[in-house]
Amino acid sequence: ETGVTQTPRHLVMGMTNKKSLKCEQHLGHNAMYWYKQSAKKPLELMFVYSLEERVENNSVPSRFSPECPNSSHLFLHLHTLQPEDSALYLCASSQDTGGETQYFGPGTRLLVL
Amino acid sequence: EDQVTQSPEALRLQEGESSSLNCSYTVSGLRGLFWYRQDPGKGPEFLFTLYSAGEEKEKERLKATLTKKESFLHITAPKPEDSATYLCAVQRDNYGQNFVFGPGTRLSVLP
């Protein structure tokens, strides 16, 4: 148990659906991250939030929309996804964004039909 | 461009057969190098952070070392429960937000 939880753990959605992934950290950290992990590919950083402010957006399509209402919660809103968006979506947190260890949640396995 | 490569891609060992995994990196100004273990369908689990060449860290059967161009994860007398994918990641000195991950080494330890 790393102190980072994610829900749901599994999600199947159609291309026209709208869904949200939730992440919560109980570590008192100030930074939170979304990563995408596809088969046979390295983890890809999607978004970084520091003190609820977005500081990094690695050219992610607009069908992915993050939200960070406070330093403990992070959401990833999904709409009109494509089958190639099927992947394991991982949330992580760290004390700050400067060289601190990131602790990961268990991930949400997403399948887009 | 920052790059992280890991070798081998996959490694199969007999229980008790020691070996090493390699992580090679090219990054301008390394702030830290991180090793993680990932079991199938789960999030990466933190193992070690190394900050400077010559540094070593140990945990049970694992030992991580760092040079200016690469890091090694040495596994001594592995057990089947050490089977997992081992990931390394680097963080740049002046761009603290961004971790660059390698593709991982998939380790299987056979009883």
Side-chain angles (χ1 to χ4, degrees):
Chain A
E1 193 64 45
T2 64
V4 181
T5 59
Q6 290 186 243
T7 55
R9 295 294 312 278
H10 302 273
L11 179 62
V12 180
M13 57 187 290
M15 293 166 59
T16 58
N17 291 158
K18 288 185 180 181
K19 296 287 184 183
S20 295
L21 310 185
K22 178 183 176 182
C23 175
E24 183 173 0
Q25 58 97 358
H26 309 273
L27 300 170
H29 288 166
N30 294 319
M32 296 187 77
Y33 310 77
W34 278 117
Y35 285 87
K36 175 183 179 182
Q37 189 174 34
S38 305
K40 307 284 187 181
K41 293 176 71 175
L43 270 77
E44 301 170 59
L45 180 66
M46 300 174 72
F47 301 103
V48 180
Y49 277 83
S50 177
L51 294 170
E52 301 132 56
E53 192 173 317
R54 189 192 303 183
V55 296
E56 180 72 23
N57 174 0
N58 280 357
S59 303
V60 179
S62 60
R63 57 185 182 270
F64 295 92
S65 175
E67 179 190 1
C68 188
N70 55 62
S71 59
S72 298
H73 294 86
L74 185 65
F75 295 90
L76 188 63
H77 304 298
L78 316 171
H79 64 97
T80 59
L81 294 191
Q82 304 297 311
E84 59 264 29
D85 297 321
S86 299
L88 182 68
Y89 288 85
L90 291 160
C91 172
S93 73
S94 63
Q95 186 61 54
D96 293 294
T97 56
E100 303 287 340
T101 299
Q102 295 182 18
Y103 294 90
F104 285 82
T108 295
R109 173 68 64 185
L110 173 67
L111 177 62
V112 181
L113 300 177
Chain B
E1 184 181 324
D2 298 342
Q3 269 200 319
V4 179
T5 58
Q6 291 187 247
S7 61
E9 182 177 326
L11 180 62
R12 184 174 287 191
L13 300 174
Q14 289 296 133
E15 185 172 2
E17 180 187 0
S18 301
S19 188
S20 296
L21 313 183
N22 175 266
C23 172
S24 295
Y25 61 90
T26 52
V27 62
S28 52
L30 179 73
R31 172 164 281 194
L33 185 141
F34 303 80
W35 280 99
Y36 288 86
R37 167 200 170 120
Q38 186 174 25
D39 294 301
K42 296 188 177 181
E45 175 189 341
F46 171 70
L47 293 174
F48 304 109
T49 306
L50 301 166
Y51 291 108
S52 57
E55 191 175 357
E56 298 182 354
K57 294 268 179 80
E58 280 188 74
K59 179 181 177 180
E60 296 180 356
R61 295 176 292 282
L62 300 177
K63 179 180 175 181
T65 61
L66 181 65
T67 71
K68 289 188 177 180
K69 293 185 178 181
E70 59 191 350
S71 176
F72 291 93
L73 185 65
H74 307 278
I75 304 177
T76 302
K79 298 182 177 181
E81 53 262 41
D82 294 322
S83 299
T85 295
Y86 289 85
L87 305 171
C88 79
V90 298
Q91 192 170 37
R92 278 183 280 169
D93 194 29
N94 61 348
Y95 199 52
Q97 296 92 333
N98 209 337
F99 269 41
V100 178
F101 274 86
T105 292
R106 191 170 64 255
L107 174 66
S108 300
V109 182
L110 307 176

